[in-house]
Amino acid sequence: MLTDSSRFLQSAPYLIFFPGAAIVISAVGFNLLGDGLREALDPRLKRLGAAMSLLSIRDLVVRFRTHDGTVFAVNGVSFDLDEGETLGLVGESGCGKSVTNLALMRLLPLPAGHIDGGKVIFNGEDLLTLDESDMRDLRGKEIAMIFRIP
Ligand SMILES: Nc1ncnc2c1ncn2[C@@H]1O[C@H](COP(=O)(O)OP(=O)(O)OP(=O)(O)O)[C@@H](O)[C@H]1O
Ligand SMILES: [Mg+2]
């Protein structure tokens, strides 16, 4: 077949394009199909997903800009919280416990309070990049806060 078709290479080289494109499309298609099947069926990937925490805070940085200067309230806090788990944050007064929790719910007093870095991943979504209406849907239903001083 290759010998037969090589005769056309000189007279009509553009004919290479169609079988070539068909091969590329088939190869990419089979790869995508393989990836999809693996994602659906590979038990190792399922375990990885299950191992992901419900809430994952990474390198959270919060600052307040005040008339007296910048308050470095939270400086690179990281922790994970799994479903059904209880986590207590312990530390001296002013160390940033409340501000950490206000920040992850995006309830910092504005305009002074600023999240200057980090990630807050809840159920696989980064809460720091979620738009405000999605965040409002989440508050009270998925994540809630009981204030010490209501
Ligand atoms: N609205 C604000 N403006 C400026 N600085 C603030 C503001 N809210 C908190 N801070 C500062 O952020 C830092 C962390 O405060 P945070 O309230 O998180 O402490 P905390 O660990 O919850 O303390 P406590 O145990 O007393 O509740 C403190 O230095 C505090 O003064
Ligand atoms: Mg507090």
Side-chain angles (χ1 to χ4, degrees):
M1 213 161 85
L2 281 174
T3 320
D4 286 347
S5 56
S6 66
R7 278 186 289 125
F8 296 102
L9 267 180
Q10 298 295 329
S11 54
Y14 64 89
L15 288 176
I16 295 173
F17 176 78
F18 302 103
I23 290 168
V24 169
I25 290 168
S26 313
V28 170
F30 278 120
N31 267 313
L32 290 175
L33 182 71
D35 283 352
L37 283 174
R38 206 174 88 121
E39 221 158 87
L41 302 173
D42 190 341
R44 275 177 309 167
L45 284 182
K46 274 197 189 132
R47 244 180 285 130
L48 262 182
M52 217 175 77
S53 296
L54 177 68
L55 177 68
S56 186
I57 313 274
R58 285 287 166 276
D59 305 318
L60 186 67
V61 176
V62 183
R63 292 183 187 149
F64 289 95
R65 283 170 203 135
T66 70
H67 293 302
D68 300 326
T70 303
V71 178
F72 295 83
V74 175
N75 301 294
V77 163
S78 299
F79 60 82
D80 292 302
L81 184 64
D82 289 327
E83 209 167 329
E85 199 178 40
T86 305
L87 176 74
L89 296 182
V90 182
E92 64 192 54
S93 180
C95 74
K97 304 177 296 289
S98 297
V99 171
T100 298
N101 287 294
L102 287 170
L104 76 89
M105 292 188 72
R106 302 235 311 259
L107 288 174
L108 287 171
L110 295 173
H114 250 270
I115 297 172
D116 275 12
K119 277 187 190 307
V120 175
I121 310 293
F122 177 73
N123 253 338
E125 272 184 311
D126 190 350
L127 299 191
L128 302 187
T129 57
L130 219 59
D131 58 58
E132 188 47 41
S133 71
D134 289 337
M135 199 63 216
R136 234 177 285 130
D137 288 343
L138 214 90
R139 286 192 206 107
K141 291 183 198 136
E142 305 279 335
I143 305 183
M145 188 178 263
I146 301 165
F147 291 93
R148 185 177 53 180
I149 307 160

